[in-house]
Structure formats: structure tokens, C-alpha cells
Amino acid sequence: MLHEIPDNLDALIREEKRQVAVELIQDAWDSAINEGIEPGIVAESAIIFALRQLCTEDGDGCVETLVSS
């Protein structure tokens, strides 16, 4: 018997990827804190890194849209 593919399979996959990404970022955050780096520095660095990556991948317009929302 064939298994039915849910209509929202793409959304389910995207959500699973988000969850894995959050877990990986949490691990990196915890590692930085355990190294003695202050949370504010970790947060600022993470935001700057993420925005730079978005600019590289999707262009400045994507970052402007994200920041304005």
C-alpha cells in the first residue's frame, strides 16, 4: 500500500529544519557562555553573523525586510 504524502509536507520539513537549527544554535550559545563570553556579546555576534549571511545569500533587500518587520 502506498503511503499518502501530507499536503503540508514542505511546511513540516521546514519546521523540522528550524527545530534542528535552533538546537544547534543553542548548543553554540551554551558553548560560548561556558567559555566565559558574556551573553550580550554572544547575542550581538550572532545577530551580526546572521545578517551578514542573509546579505550574502539573499541580498540586502532580504535583510531590510527582516529588520523592518
Side-chain angles (χ1 to χ4, degrees), residues 47-60:
I47 291 168
I48 290 169
F49 178 79
L51 293 175
R52 284 183 183 159
Q53 286 300 112
L54 283 174
C55 278
T56 300
E57 296 292 319
D58 300 326
D60 294 342

Side-chain angles (χ1 to χ4, degrees), residues 3 9 11 13-14 19 23 25-27 29 31 35-37 43-44 50 55-56 60-61 63 65:
H3 295 283
L9 182 59
I13 291 170
R14 189 168 176 82
Q19 184 59 41
E23 290 171 7
I25 292 168
Q26 181 66 55
D27 289 344
W29 183 283
S31 293
E35 291 293 322
I37 302 171
E44 182 180 329
C55 278
T56 300
D60 294 342
V63 173
T65 300

